[in-house]
mmCIF file of all heavy atoms in Angstrom:
data_model
loop_
_atom_site.group_PDB
_atom_site.id
_atom_site.type_symbol
_atom_site.label_atom_id
_atom_site.label_comp_id
_atom_site.label_asym_id
_atom_site.label_seq_id
_atom_site.Cartn_x
_atom_site.Cartn_y
_atom_site.Cartn_z
ATOM 1 N N MET M 1 3.175 9.166 -3.962
ATOM 2 C CA MET M 1 2.577 9.492 -2.760
ATOM 3 C C MET M 1 1.788 8.226 -2.263
ATOM 4 O O MET M 1 1.119 7.548 -2.920
ATOM 5 C CB MET M 1 1.479 10.588 -2.961
ATOM 6 C CG MET M 1 0.613 10.825 -1.834
ATOM 7 S SD MET M 1 -0.669 12.019 -2.088
ATOM 8 C CE MET M 1 -1.775 11.251 -3.183
ATOM 9 N N VAL M 2 2.106 7.982 -0.946
ATOM 10 C CA VAL M 2 1.406 6.913 -0.248
ATOM 11 C C VAL M 2 0.754 7.325 1.003
ATOM 12 O O VAL M 2 1.343 8.100 1.797
ATOM 13 C CB VAL M 2 2.563 5.767 0.058
ATOM 14 C CG1 VAL M 2 1.873 4.706 0.962
ATOM 15 C CG2 VAL M 2 3.135 5.149 -1.066
ATOM 16 N N ASN M 3 -0.462 7.024 1.053
ATOM 17 C CA ASN M 3 -1.269 7.358 2.351
ATOM 18 C C ASN M 3 -1.525 6.086 3.130
ATOM 19 O O ASN M 3 -1.903 5.057 2.583
ATOM 20 C CB ASN M 3 -2.678 7.969 2.023
ATOM 21 C CG ASN M 3 -2.438 9.393 1.284
ATOM 22 O OD1 ASN M 3 -1.699 10.157 1.703
ATOM 23 N ND2 ASN M 3 -3.147 9.544 0.232
ATOM 24 N N VAL M 4 -1.268 6.205 4.434
ATOM 25 C CA VAL M 4 -1.492 4.940 5.319
ATOM 26 C C VAL M 4 -2.462 5.327 6.433
ATOM 27 O O VAL M 4 -2.318 6.358 7.026
ATOM 28 C CB VAL M 4 -0.107 4.514 5.866
ATOM 29 C CG1 VAL M 4 -0.269 3.379 6.743
ATOM 30 C CG2 VAL M 4 0.928 4.291 4.792
ATOM 31 N N TRP M 5 -3.339 4.453 6.715
ATOM 32 C CA TRP M 5 -4.170 4.542 8.015
ATOM 33 C C TRP M 5 -4.460 3.186 8.560
ATOM 34 O O TRP M 5 -4.373 2.134 7.791
ATOM 35 C CB TRP M 5 -5.398 5.404 7.690
ATOM 36 C CG TRP M 5 -6.394 4.798 6.751
ATOM 37 C CD1 TRP M 5 -7.507 4.051 7.144
ATOM 38 C CD2 TRP M 5 -6.367 4.854 5.432
ATOM 39 N NE1 TRP M 5 -8.212 3.676 5.981
ATOM 40 C CE2 TRP M 5 -7.523 4.196 4.908
ATOM 41 C CE3 TRP M 5 -5.578 5.449 4.416
ATOM 42 C CZ2 TRP M 5 -7.851 3.973 3.517
ATOM 43 C CZ3 TRP M 5 -5.903 5.286 3.048
ATOM 44 C CH2 TRP M 5 -7.053 4.632 2.711
ATOM 45 N N LEU M 6 -4.790 3.103 9.817
ATOM 46 C CA LEU M 6 -5.246 1.958 10.459
ATOM 47 C C LEU M 6 -6.718 1.887 10.531
ATOM 48 O O LEU M 6 -7.329 2.896 10.805
ATOM 49 C CB LEU M 6 -4.736 1.873 11.842
ATOM 50 C CG LEU M 6 -3.176 1.540 11.983
ATOM 51 C CD1 LEU M 6 -2.768 1.614 13.440
ATOM 52 C CD2 LEU M 6 -2.811 0.217 11.372
ATOM 53 N N THR M 7 -7.299 0.728 10.335
ATOM 54 C CA THR M 7 -8.723 0.532 10.504
ATOM 55 C C THR M 7 -8.901 -0.750 11.223
ATOM 56 O O THR M 7 -8.163 -1.677 11.083
ATOM 57 C CB THR M 7 -9.423 0.665 9.151
ATOM 58 O OG1 THR M 7 -10.883 0.619 9.322
ATOM 59 C CG2 THR M 7 -9.068 -0.492 8.245
ATOM 60 N N GLU M 8 -10.049 -0.921 11.881
ATOM 61 C CA GLU M 8 -10.321 -2.237 12.550
ATOM 62 C C GLU M 8 -11.257 -2.953 11.670
ATOM 63 O O GLU M 8 -12.218 -2.531 11.132
ATOM 64 C CB GLU M 8 -11.167 -1.890 13.872
ATOM 65 C CG GLU M 8 -11.224 -3.186 14.755
ATOM 66 C CD GLU M 8 -11.699 -2.932 16.138
ATOM 67 O OE1 GLU M 8 -11.671 -1.734 16.614
ATOM 68 O OE2 GLU M 8 -12.017 -3.894 16.763
ATOM 69 N N ARG M 9 -10.881 -4.250 11.511
ATOM 70 C CA ARG M 9 -11.690 -5.105 10.564
ATOM 71 C C ARG M 9 -11.608 -6.492 11.158
ATOM 72 O O ARG M 9 -10.555 -7.053 11.319
ATOM 73 C CB ARG M 9 -10.972 -5.073 9.144
ATOM 74 C CG ARG M 9 -11.674 -5.870 8.154
ATOM 75 C CD ARG M 9 -12.685 -4.991 7.480
ATOM 76 N NE ARG M 9 -13.258 -5.756 6.344
ATOM 77 C CZ ARG M 9 -14.412 -5.356 5.652
ATOM 78 N NH1 ARG M 9 -14.950 -4.268 6.236
ATOM 79 N NH2 ARG M 9 -14.740 -5.924 4.758
ATOM 80 N N GLY M 10 -12.817 -7.045 11.364
ATOM 81 C CA GLY M 10 -12.833 -8.380 11.890
ATOM 82 C C GLY M 10 -12.190 -8.623 13.235
ATOM 83 O O GLY M 10 -11.639 -9.584 13.512
ATOM 84 N N GLY M 11 -12.180 -7.622 14.017
ATOM 85 C CA GLY M 11 -11.584 -7.728 15.347
ATOM 86 C C GLY M 11 -10.083 -7.490 15.481
ATOM 87 O O GLY M 11 -9.431 -7.513 16.508
ATOM 88 N N GLY M 12 -9.450 -7.073 14.322
ATOM 89 C CA GLY M 12 -8.040 -6.787 14.313
ATOM 90 C C GLY M 12 -7.735 -5.573 13.573
ATOM 91 O O GLY M 12 -8.547 -5.065 12.875
ATOM 92 N N LEU M 13 -6.473 -5.014 13.739
ATOM 93 C CA LEU M 13 -6.145 -3.801 13.018
ATOM 94 C C LEU M 13 -5.606 -4.089 11.647
ATOM 95 O O LEU M 13 -4.857 -5.134 11.501
ATOM 96 C CB LEU M 13 -5.159 -3.018 13.789
ATOM 97 C CG LEU M 13 -5.641 -2.358 15.106
ATOM 98 C CD1 LEU M 13 -4.491 -1.635 15.795
ATOM 99 C CD2 LEU M 13 -6.664 -1.210 14.739
ATOM 100 N N VAL M 14 -6.053 -3.312 10.660
ATOM 101 C CA VAL M 14 -5.576 -3.478 9.265
ATOM 102 C C VAL M 14 -4.970 -2.178 8.848
ATOM 103 O O VAL M 14 -5.447 -1.157 9.016
ATOM 104 C CB VAL M 14 -6.769 -3.982 8.394
ATOM 105 C CG1 VAL M 14 -6.326 -4.014 6.900
ATOM 106 C CG2 VAL M 14 -7.352 -5.227 8.863
ATOM 107 N N ASN M 15 -3.826 -2.280 8.146
ATOM 108 C CA ASN M 15 -3.227 -1.091 7.456
ATOM 109 C C ASN M 15 -3.913 -0.985 6.144
ATOM 110 O O ASN M 15 -3.961 -1.962 5.364
ATOM 111 C CB ASN M 15 -1.720 -1.309 7.160
ATOM 112 C CG ASN M 15 -0.911 -1.345 8.479
ATOM 113 O OD1 ASN M 15 -1.018 -0.443 9.317
ATOM 114 N ND2 ASN M 15 -0.113 -2.390 8.642
ATOM 115 N N ALA M 16 -4.496 0.158 5.912
ATOM 116 C CA ALA M 16 -5.075 0.482 4.584
ATOM 117 C C ALA M 16 -4.219 1.518 3.941
ATOM 118 O O ALA M 16 -4.109 2.653 4.420
ATOM 119 C CB ALA M 16 -6.545 0.925 4.716
ATOM 120 N N CYS M 17 -3.534 1.176 2.862
ATOM 121 C CA CYS M 17 -2.625 2.019 2.196
ATOM 122 C C CYS M 17 -2.995 2.293 0.758
ATOM 123 O O CYS M 17 -3.329 1.444 0.045
ATOM 124 C CB CYS M 17 -1.209 1.470 2.145
ATOM 125 S SG CYS M 17 -0.627 0.876 3.798
ATOM 126 N N THR M 18 -2.999 3.598 0.428
ATOM 127 C CA THR M 18 -3.235 3.863 -1.057
ATOM 128 C C THR M 18 -2.170 4.590 -1.700
ATOM 129 O O THR M 18 -1.315 5.283 -0.988
ATOM 130 C CB THR M 18 -4.494 4.790 -1.134
ATOM 131 O OG1 THR M 18 -4.283 5.972 -0.420
ATOM 132 C CG2 THR M 18 -5.756 4.051 -0.511
ATOM 133 N N TRP M 19 -2.023 4.537 -2.962
ATOM 134 C CA TRP M 19 -1.012 5.318 -3.738
ATOM 135 C C TRP M 19 -1.696 5.867 -4.950
ATOM 136 O O TRP M 19 -2.714 5.479 -5.443
ATOM 137 C CB TRP M 19 0.239 4.452 -4.129
ATOM 138 C CG TRP M 19 -0.059 3.425 -5.266
ATOM 139 C CD1 TRP M 19 -0.131 3.791 -6.517
ATOM 140 C CD2 TRP M 19 -0.378 2.100 -5.122
ATOM 141 N NE1 TRP M 19 -0.323 2.625 -7.257
ATOM 142 C CE2 TRP M 19 -0.452 1.602 -6.394
ATOM 143 C CE3 TRP M 19 -0.428 1.207 -4.026
ATOM 144 C CZ2 TRP M 19 -0.629 0.178 -6.673
ATOM 145 C CZ3 TRP M 19 -0.700 -0.067 -4.378
ATOM 146 C CH2 TRP M 19 -0.836 -0.542 -5.639
ATOM 147 N N GLY M 20 -1.156 6.929 -5.450
ATOM 148 C CA GLY M 20 -1.655 7.507 -6.658
ATOM 149 C C GLY M 20 -0.399 8.377 -7.283
ATOM 150 O O GLY M 20 -0.030 9.350 -6.627
ATOM 151 N N ASP M 21 0.093 7.888 -8.384
ATOM 152 C CA ASP M 21 1.161 8.535 -9.042
ATOM 153 C C ASP M 21 1.318 8.085 -10.492
ATOM 154 O O ASP M 21 0.987 7.007 -10.794
ATOM 155 C CB ASP M 21 2.507 8.542 -8.235
ATOM 156 C CG ASP M 21 3.023 7.086 -8.155
ATOM 157 O OD1 ASP M 21 2.255 6.133 -8.418
ATOM 158 O OD2 ASP M 21 4.132 6.892 -7.735
ATOM 159 N N TRP M 22 1.845 8.811 -11.366
ATOM 160 C CA TRP M 22 2.094 8.541 -12.719
ATOM 161 C C TRP M 22 0.994 7.717 -13.375
ATOM 162 O O TRP M 22 1.236 6.708 -14.092
ATOM 163 C CB TRP M 22 3.363 7.736 -12.745
ATOM 164 C CG TRP M 22 4.607 8.546 -12.338
ATOM 165 C CD1 TRP M 22 5.089 8.484 -11.120
ATOM 166 C CD2 TRP M 22 5.341 9.394 -13.057
ATOM 167 N NE1 TRP M 22 6.228 9.396 -10.985
ATOM 168 C CE2 TRP M 22 6.260 9.945 -12.167
ATOM 169 C CE3 TRP M 22 5.402 9.872 -14.342
ATOM 170 C CZ2 TRP M 22 7.292 10.879 -12.636
ATOM 171 C CZ3 TRP M 22 6.321 10.786 -14.811
ATOM 172 C CH2 TRP M 22 7.306 11.339 -13.902
ATOM 173 N N GLY M 23 -0.217 8.094 -13.211
ATOM 174 C CA GLY M 23 -1.375 7.391 -13.820
ATOM 175 C C GLY M 23 -1.751 6.053 -13.087
ATOM 176 O O GLY M 23 -2.496 5.311 -13.653
ATOM 177 N N SER M 24 -1.020 5.805 -12.034
ATOM 178 C CA SER M 24 -1.376 4.515 -11.292
ATOM 179 C C SER M 24 -2.078 4.805 -9.983
ATOM 180 O O SER M 24 -1.668 5.733 -9.233
ATOM 181 C CB SER M 24 0.035 3.840 -11.024
ATOM 182 O OG SER M 24 -0.106 2.782 -10.076
ATOM 183 N N VAL M 25 -3.052 4.110 -9.623
ATOM 184 C CA VAL M 25 -3.818 4.239 -8.355
ATOM 185 C C VAL M 25 -4.063 2.905 -7.876
ATOM 186 O O VAL M 25 -4.475 1.968 -8.599
ATOM 187 C CB VAL M 25 -5.158 5.057 -8.634
ATOM 188 C CG1 VAL M 25 -5.943 5.152 -7.328
ATOM 189 C CG2 VAL M 25 -4.874 6.378 -9.137
ATOM 190 N N GLY M 26 -3.909 2.655 -6.530
ATOM 191 C CA GLY M 26 -4.190 1.424 -5.952
ATOM 192 C C GLY M 26 -4.308 1.536 -4.521
ATOM 193 O O GLY M 26 -4.022 2.481 -3.859
ATOM 194 N N THR M 27 -4.770 0.310 -3.908
ATOM 195 C CA THR M 27 -4.950 0.292 -2.472
ATOM 196 C C THR M 27 -4.354 -1.177 -2.015
ATOM 197 O O THR M 27 -4.606 -2.137 -2.658
ATOM 198 C CB THR M 27 -6.355 0.347 -1.990
ATOM 199 O OG1 THR M 27 -6.892 1.633 -2.482
ATOM 200 C CG2 THR M 27 -6.542 0.203 -0.579
ATOM 201 N N ALA M 28 -3.614 -1.119 -0.991
ATOM 202 C CA ALA M 28 -3.127 -2.476 -0.366
ATOM 203 C C ALA M 28 -3.576 -2.533 1.080
ATOM 204 O O ALA M 28 -3.478 -1.554 1.813
ATOM 205 C CB ALA M 28 -1.620 -2.483 -0.426
ATOM 206 N N LEU M 29 -4.173 -3.663 1.381
ATOM 207 C CA LEU M 29 -4.594 -3.897 2.750
ATOM 208 C C LEU M 29 -3.681 -4.980 3.290
ATOM 209 O O LEU M 29 -3.441 -6.028 2.731
ATOM 210 C CB LEU M 29 -6.049 -4.347 2.791
ATOM 211 C CG LEU M 29 -7.115 -3.468 2.302
ATOM 212 C CD1 LEU M 29 -8.467 -4.086 2.290
ATOM 213 C CD2 LEU M 29 -7.173 -2.076 3.042
ATOM 214 N N SER M 30 -3.299 -4.765 4.538
ATOM 215 C CA SER M 30 -2.427 -5.853 5.213
ATOM 216 C C SER M 30 -2.678 -5.790 6.803
ATOM 217 O O SER M 30 -3.084 -4.832 7.285
ATOM 218 C CB SER M 30 -0.983 -5.578 4.986
ATOM 219 O OG SER M 30 -0.585 -4.329 5.578
ATOM 220 N N ALA M 31 -2.544 -6.984 7.367
ATOM 221 C CA ALA M 31 -2.651 -7.090 8.807
ATOM 222 C C ALA M 31 -1.544 -6.104 9.463
ATOM 223 O O ALA M 31 -0.480 -6.088 9.035
ATOM 224 C CB ALA M 31 -2.507 -8.455 9.262
ATOM 225 N N ASP M 32 -2.086 -5.439 10.482
ATOM 226 C CA ASP M 32 -1.063 -4.603 11.170
ATOM 227 C C ASP M 32 0.005 -5.396 11.884
ATOM 228 O O ASP M 32 -0.298 -6.230 12.647
ATOM 229 C CB ASP M 32 -1.835 -3.642 12.143
ATOM 230 C CG ASP M 32 -0.902 -2.661 12.878
ATOM 231 O OD1 ASP M 32 0.085 -2.187 12.181
ATOM 232 O OD2 ASP M 32 -1.003 -2.523 14.028
ATOM 233 N N SER M 33 1.254 -5.102 11.546
ATOM 234 C CA SER M 33 2.326 -5.889 12.237
ATOM 235 C C SER M 33 2.904 -5.188 13.369
ATOM 236 O O SER M 33 3.805 -5.702 14.069
ATOM 237 C CB SER M 33 3.483 -6.039 11.177
ATOM 238 O OG SER M 33 4.033 -4.758 10.852
ATOM 239 N N GLY M 34 2.356 -3.884 13.672
ATOM 240 C CA GLY M 34 2.876 -3.165 14.809
ATOM 241 C C GLY M 34 4.223 -2.424 14.435
ATOM 242 O O GLY M 34 4.765 -1.766 15.319
ATOM 243 N N GLY M 35 4.539 -2.404 13.173
ATOM 244 C CA GLY M 35 5.779 -1.845 12.780
ATOM 245 C C GLY M 35 5.611 -0.345 12.499
ATOM 246 O O GLY M 35 6.549 0.422 12.189
ATOM 247 N N GLY M 36 4.419 0.221 12.459
ATOM 248 C CA GLY M 36 4.180 1.602 12.266
ATOM 249 C C GLY M 36 3.894 2.002 10.843
ATOM 250 O O GLY M 36 3.863 1.144 9.934
ATOM 251 N N VAL M 37 3.742 3.313 10.690
ATOM 252 C CA VAL M 37 3.338 3.800 9.386
ATOM 253 C C VAL M 37 4.424 3.603 8.360
ATOM 254 O O VAL M 37 4.213 3.241 7.244
ATOM 255 C CB VAL M 37 3.167 5.321 9.512
ATOM 256 C CG1 VAL M 37 2.942 6.007 8.198
ATOM 257 C CG2 VAL M 37 1.854 5.638 10.434
ATOM 258 N N ASP M 38 5.751 3.692 8.705
ATOM 259 C CA ASP M 38 6.831 3.582 7.746
ATOM 260 C C ASP M 38 6.880 2.116 7.179
ATOM 261 O O ASP M 38 7.062 1.854 6.061
ATOM 262 C CB ASP M 38 8.139 3.908 8.310
ATOM 263 C CG ASP M 38 8.394 5.407 8.495
ATOM 264 O OD1 ASP M 38 7.729 6.153 7.827
ATOM 265 O OD2 ASP M 38 9.090 5.725 9.420
ATOM 266 N N THR M 39 6.562 1.170 8.073
ATOM 267 C CA THR M 39 6.551 -0.262 7.641
ATOM 268 C C THR M 39 5.409 -0.561 6.656
ATOM 269 O O THR M 39 5.616 -1.170 5.675
ATOM 270 C CB THR M 39 6.533 -1.268 8.853
ATOM 271 O OG1 THR M 39 7.646 -1.056 9.688
ATOM 272 C CG2 THR M 39 6.350 -2.659 8.376
ATOM 273 N N ALA M 40 4.213 0.027 6.987
ATOM 274 C CA ALA M 40 3.079 -0.115 6.141
ATOM 275 C C ALA M 40 3.256 0.561 4.769
ATOM 276 O O ALA M 40 2.972 0.012 3.722
ATOM 277 C CB ALA M 40 1.840 0.410 6.817
ATOM 278 N N ALA M 41 3.912 1.780 4.814
ATOM 279 C CA ALA M 41 4.122 2.515 3.602
ATOM 280 C C ALA M 41 5.165 1.725 2.773
ATOM 281 O O ALA M 41 5.008 1.634 1.505
ATOM 282 C CB ALA M 41 4.646 3.884 3.960
ATOM 283 N N ASN M 42 6.256 1.150 3.322
ATOM 284 C CA ASN M 42 7.232 0.435 2.561
ATOM 285 C C ASN M 42 6.574 -0.868 1.952
ATOM 286 O O ASN M 42 6.936 -1.148 0.804
ATOM 287 C CB ASN M 42 8.336 0.017 3.409
ATOM 288 C CG ASN M 42 9.236 1.145 3.804
ATOM 289 O OD1 ASN M 42 9.237 2.120 3.074
ATOM 290 N ND2 ASN M 42 10.017 1.037 4.906
ATOM 291 N N LEU M 43 5.730 -1.484 2.653
ATOM 292 C CA LEU M 43 5.005 -2.681 2.035
ATOM 293 C C LEU M 43 4.092 -2.239 0.917
ATOM 294 O O LEU M 43 4.135 -2.956 -0.140
ATOM 295 C CB LEU M 43 4.100 -3.390 3.140
ATOM 296 C CG LEU M 43 3.248 -4.399 2.572
ATOM 297 C CD1 LEU M 43 4.045 -5.658 2.049
ATOM 298 C CD2 LEU M 43 2.336 -4.955 3.665
ATOM 299 N N THR M 44 3.434 -1.180 0.961
ATOM 300 C CA THR M 44 2.595 -0.609 -0.022
ATOM 301 C C THR M 44 3.418 -0.248 -1.268
ATOM 302 O O THR M 44 3.088 -0.651 -2.414
ATOM 303 C CB THR M 44 1.823 0.585 0.306
ATOM 304 O OG1 THR M 44 0.945 0.187 1.460
ATOM 305 C CG2 THR M 44 0.904 1.127 -0.702
ATOM 306 N N ARG M 45 4.595 0.357 -1.040
ATOM 307 C CA ARG M 45 5.519 0.708 -2.170
ATOM 308 C C ARG M 45 5.966 -0.548 -2.941
ATOM 309 O O ARG M 45 6.050 -0.619 -4.160
ATOM 310 C CB ARG M 45 6.650 1.511 -1.668
ATOM 311 C CG ARG M 45 6.304 2.926 -1.327
ATOM 312 C CD ARG M 45 7.519 3.755 -0.855
ATOM 313 N NE ARG M 45 7.070 5.085 -0.454
ATOM 314 C CZ ARG M 45 6.936 5.469 0.870
ATOM 315 N NH1 ARG M 45 7.157 4.589 1.770
ATOM 316 N NH2 ARG M 45 6.436 6.598 1.145
ATOM 317 N N ALA M 46 6.265 -1.648 -2.058
ATOM 318 C CA ALA M 46 6.701 -2.905 -2.644
ATOM 319 C C ALA M 46 5.637 -3.499 -3.531
ATOM 320 O O ALA M 46 5.839 -3.959 -4.662
ATOM 321 C CB ALA M 46 7.163 -3.858 -1.616
ATOM 322 N N VAL M 47 4.324 -3.484 -3.008
ATOM 323 C CA VAL M 47 3.213 -4.013 -3.735
ATOM 324 C C VAL M 47 2.992 -3.232 -5.106
ATOM 325 O O VAL M 47 2.827 -3.704 -6.147
ATOM 326 C CB VAL M 47 1.931 -3.943 -2.944
ATOM 327 C CG1 VAL M 47 0.620 -4.210 -3.737
ATOM 328 C CG2 VAL M 47 1.982 -4.977 -1.798
ATOM 329 N N ARG M 48 3.069 -1.814 -4.920
ATOM 330 C CA ARG M 48 2.933 -1.014 -6.046
ATOM 331 C C ARG M 48 3.968 -1.305 -7.209
ATOM 332 O O ARG M 48 3.614 -1.443 -8.294
ATOM 333 C CB ARG M 48 3.126 0.475 -5.736
ATOM 334 C CG ARG M 48 3.091 1.439 -6.853
ATOM 335 C CD ARG M 48 3.503 2.803 -6.316
ATOM 336 N NE ARG M 48 3.849 3.667 -7.340
ATOM 337 C CZ ARG M 48 5.070 3.820 -7.934
ATOM 338 N NH1 ARG M 48 6.095 2.948 -7.461
ATOM 339 N NH2 ARG M 48 5.402 4.578 -8.958
ATOM 340 N N GLU M 49 5.199 -1.507 -6.832
ATOM 341 C CA GLU M 49 6.260 -1.800 -7.738
ATOM 342 C C GLU M 49 6.042 -3.220 -8.405
ATOM 343 O O GLU M 49 6.205 -3.362 -9.587
ATOM 344 C CB GLU M 49 7.670 -1.845 -6.981
ATOM 345 C CG GLU M 49 8.167 -0.501 -6.689
ATOM 346 C CD GLU M 49 8.373 0.423 -7.946
ATOM 347 O OE1 GLU M 49 8.951 -0.076 -8.930
ATOM 348 O OE2 GLU M 49 7.958 1.578 -7.800
ATOM 349 N N ALA M 50 5.568 -4.170 -7.621
ATOM 350 C CA ALA M 50 5.251 -5.491 -8.218
ATOM 351 C C ALA M 50 4.159 -5.421 -9.228
ATOM 352 O O ALA M 50 4.216 -5.980 -10.290
ATOM 353 C CB ALA M 50 5.001 -6.466 -7.052
ATOM 354 N N VAL M 51 3.106 -4.663 -8.841
ATOM 355 C CA VAL M 51 1.987 -4.513 -9.776
ATOM 356 C C VAL M 51 2.352 -3.772 -11.029
ATOM 357 O O VAL M 51 2.020 -4.238 -12.176
ATOM 358 C CB VAL M 51 0.764 -3.815 -9.036
ATOM 359 C CG1 VAL M 51 -0.193 -3.341 -10.101
ATOM 360 C CG2 VAL M 51 0.255 -4.620 -7.897
ATOM 361 N N LEU M 52 3.153 -2.684 -10.921
ATOM 362 C CA LEU M 52 3.607 -1.934 -12.117
ATOM 363 C C LEU M 52 4.516 -2.758 -12.981
ATOM 364 O O LEU M 52 4.343 -2.810 -14.179
ATOM 365 C CB LEU M 52 4.196 -0.628 -11.714
ATOM 366 C CG LEU M 52 3.178 0.329 -11.114
ATOM 367 C CD1 LEU M 52 3.883 1.724 -10.715
ATOM 368 C CD2 LEU M 52 1.975 0.622 -11.974
ATOM 369 N N HIS M 53 5.410 -3.533 -12.351
ATOM 370 C CA HIS M 53 6.357 -4.288 -13.160
ATOM 371 C C HIS M 53 5.530 -5.466 -13.820
ATOM 372 O O HIS M 53 5.911 -5.880 -15.014
ATOM 373 C CB HIS M 53 7.481 -4.799 -12.313
ATOM 374 C CG HIS M 53 8.449 -3.809 -11.958
ATOM 375 N ND1 HIS M 53 9.275 -3.274 -12.865
ATOM 376 C CD2 HIS M 53 8.887 -3.210 -10.763
ATOM 377 C CE1 HIS M 53 10.049 -2.256 -12.318
ATOM 378 N NE2 HIS M 53 9.834 -2.289 -11.074
ATOM 379 N N GLU M 54 4.617 -6.077 -13.219
ATOM 380 C CA GLU M 54 3.803 -7.103 -13.781
ATOM 381 C C GLU M 54 3.046 -6.636 -14.985
ATOM 382 O O GLU M 54 3.076 -7.301 -15.990
ATOM 383 C CB GLU M 54 2.862 -7.728 -12.714
ATOM 384 C CG GLU M 54 2.009 -8.828 -13.239
ATOM 385 C CD GLU M 54 2.810 -10.146 -13.513
ATOM 386 O OE1 GLU M 54 3.905 -10.293 -12.962
ATOM 387 O OE2 GLU M 54 2.356 -10.963 -14.401
ATOM 388 N N ALA M 55 2.475 -5.437 -14.856
ATOM 389 C CA ALA M 55 1.708 -4.810 -15.942
ATOM 390 C C ALA M 55 2.620 -4.468 -17.111
ATOM 391 O O ALA M 55 2.312 -4.662 -18.292
ATOM 392 C CB ALA M 55 0.949 -3.613 -15.396
ATOM 393 N N ALA M 56 3.782 -3.996 -16.772
ATOM 394 C CA ALA M 56 4.761 -3.611 -17.878
ATOM 395 C C ALA M 56 5.281 -4.831 -18.590
ATOM 396 O O ALA M 56 5.555 -4.795 -19.800
ATOM 397 C CB ALA M 56 5.923 -2.798 -17.257
ATOM 398 N N ASP M 57 5.391 -6.002 -17.859
ATOM 399 C CA ASP M 57 5.947 -7.195 -18.417
ATOM 400 C C ASP M 57 4.885 -7.922 -19.127
ATOM 401 O O ASP M 57 5.221 -8.763 -20.013
ATOM 402 C CB ASP M 57 6.542 -8.053 -17.387
ATOM 403 C CG ASP M 57 7.904 -7.577 -16.699
ATOM 404 O OD1 ASP M 57 8.382 -6.549 -17.279
ATOM 405 O OD2 ASP M 57 8.250 -7.972 -15.635
ATOM 406 N N GLY M 58 3.702 -7.683 -18.743
ATOM 407 C CA GLY M 58 2.512 -8.440 -19.153
ATOM 408 C C GLY M 58 2.176 -8.689 -20.503
ATOM 409 O O GLY M 58 1.623 -9.476 -21.131
#
């Protein structure tokens, strides 16, 4: 599950995305690219995968 929302921070829009699944919880913040919710969610999924793979390889 990935939740995405926009928030204003420092004069610009930021995507704030959270995930929670399989015992993993995290948040990814990124500058809004204007790509919409799907783009932000895909970025968060990529971050999640990188974090989980790093932890597993660790």
Side-chain angles (χ1 to χ4, degrees):
M1 172 182 70
V2 173
N3 295 312
V4 180
W5 67 94
L6 287 176
T7 186
E8 191 170 348
R9 183 88 174 165
L13 288 176
V14 174
N15 292 310
C17 308
T18 61
W19 73 81
D21 61 350
W22 297 95
S24 166
V25 177
T27 302
L29 300 175
S30 62
D32 181 40
S33 66
V37 171
D38 289 334
T39 299
N42 288 339
L43 174 61
T44 300
R45 288 183 183 101
V47 169
R48 177 188 161 275
E49 288 299 316
V51 167
L52 293 180
H53 284 294
E54 180 69 27
D57 293 342

